[in-house]
Amino acid sequence: MRWVDELDEDAEHAVGELLTAARAADGRPEETDPARGGRHLLVHDSGVLAGYAHLDTSGDAFGHQVSELIVHPDHRRRGIGTRLARALIEQVPAKLRVWAHGDHPAAARIAERLGFSRARELLIMHTPVRDDWPEPAPPPGISLRTFVPGQDERAVIEVNARAFDWHPEQGSLTVDELRATETENWFDPAGFFLAVREDRRVAGFHWTKVHQPNPRRFGGEPVGEVYVVGVDPAAQGGGLGKVLTTAGLRYLREKGLKQVILYVEGDNAPAVAVYRRLGFAQLESDVQYAFR
């Protein structure tokens, strides 16, 4: 077992293979490219990479260092997950958070054994594409248009910061990070909807995403995502979130997608209620465990 601050070419390849194997077995993680930045914990068994953890040392908006750990499917039930978790505790003895994707029972057992508490639940909700999603009808003084790269980044980030000032990750998104996302293959400004006031100020947005096929999930078909819906607090309470959501859902339907997912905090009851009325049901959940 060893910590490294940067993966060399061989280690990056090995981590990529481990993540791909985990995805083939579990359907997760969605991304199989090794994480950048932070620190990396590698566990080898007979020269083979058997376990991996990434530690985001920059932390979330509340000062927690956040980790994800994965054990190769061929090396599970050998105590490697527990070893990884113990090493994370030694590295970060306070304000540590660790994600367990899929709320796996093995992760719950490790957490209980080592003194972690269940701190956060992220629901993954799903719906087949529906024909009854209504035509979006913005409230008076609001119109919808799509995002213009090079023009709208700062306005979106300002709304995002106000809408998600309570969120550990989303609220800290920066203009530079948004611009970097625009270079990703999946980014499509035609699926990025803005609600704009008569004075041209942005009141809210809905950013959609399309995931490429995953053989272990959703029948191996591409799937749409309600990626981020953000409404300025000054414009909340008038149904603008639902208007933006339905605009994006109809767009994903028009692209020929058959299924849509979204991620929502388990304790965000108003948002969960809106999504249920639009046909979404809980599919699974991710749990974040806290150590002190």
Side-chain angles (χ1 to χ4, degrees):
M1 179 182 292
R2 65 188 177 99
W3 284 99
V4 297
D5 292 323
E6 187 174 347
L7 297 174
D8 61 26
E9 186 175 345
D10 290 340
E12 186 170 331
H13 178 72
V15 171
E17 288 189 332
L18 184 151
L19 297 177
T20 299
R23 184 184 187 192
D26 308 327
R28 309 284 289 280
E30 289 292 343
E31 302 294 334
T32 56
D33 290 331
R36 305 293 179 183
R39 303 202 73 202
H40 308 267
L41 179 59
L42 310 173
V43 177
H44 287 84
D45 184 3
S46 301
V48 176
L49 184 65
Y52 167 71
H54 174 257
L55 180 64
D56 181 0
T57 53
S58 62
D60 65 18
F62 303 115
H64 306 118
Q65 293 191 40
V66 182
S67 180
E68 299 184 62
L69 65 86
I70 297 178
V71 178
H72 193 288
D74 294 341
H75 296 265
R76 293 174 180 174
R77 300 183 182 276
R78 303 180 187 179
I80 291 172
T82 300
R83 291 182 60 197
L84 285 165
R86 289 188 187 278
L88 286 167
I89 292 171
E90 291 174 2
Q91 184 74 18
V92 187
K95 302 198 78 172
L96 172 65
R97 299 290 184 269
V98 182
W99 280 109
H101 294 297
D103 196 9
H104 199 282
R109 289 193 293 270
I110 292 171
E112 183 178 10
R113 188 181 307 130
L114 299 183
F116 284 83
S117 59
R118 192 181 178 102
R120 182 179 168 198
E121 183 177 22
L122 189 64
L123 306 183
I124 298 92
M125 303 186 76
H126 166 269
T127 183
V129 165
R130 297 168 60 111
D131 293 329
D132 62 350
W133 285 329
E135 181 78 28
I142 297 288
S143 60
L144 299 184
R145 66 171 175 84
T146 54
F147 180 87
V148 179
Q151 170 186 296
D152 292 324
E153 287 86 354
R154 185 161 298 281
V156 166
I157 290 301
E158 289 174 354
V159 170
N160 181 82
R162 291 192 292 270
F164 294 102
D165 61 353
W166 53 272
H167 198 278
E169 297 97 17
Q170 184 63 34
S172 61
L173 186 69
T174 67
V175 169
D176 287 343
E177 288 169 339
L178 174 53
R179 286 176 176 152
T181 305
E182 293 171 25
T183 67
E184 299 286 343
N185 291 334
W186 61 265
F187 181 83
D188 182 5
F192 197 154
F193 296 88
L194 306 185
V196 182
R197 298 182 176 94
E198 292 176 333
D199 60 6
R200 299 186 180 181
R201 289 183 300 150
V202 173
F205 64 92
H206 178 189
W207 189 357
T208 69
K209 182 176 183 178
V210 177
H211 295 266
Q212 294 307 303
N214 181 334
R216 291 297 303 272
R217 289 166 67 83
F218 310 112
E221 297 181 349
V223 61
E225 181 182 349
V226 177
Y227 187 47
V228 188
V229 178
V231 177
D232 194 312
Q236 291 176 0
L240 186 54
K242 183 177 180 180
V243 168
L244 284 161
T245 302
T246 55
L249 290 173
R250 290 167 65 94
Y251 165 80
L252 293 170
R253 185 179 66 194
E254 290 166 6
K255 286 183 69 69
L257 297 166
K258 304 300 183 185
Q259 302 178 79
V260 182
I261 62 169
L262 59 85
Y263 293 77
V264 61
E265 298 293 332
D267 60 358
N268 189 348
V272 171
V274 168
Y275 296 137
R276 290 194 185 280
R277 287 195 292 270
L278 290 170
F280 286 86
Q282 182 177 342
L283 179 68
E284 55 191 40
S285 64
D286 293 340
V287 174
Q288 192 179 82
Y289 288 97
F291 189 80
R292 296 179 186 170

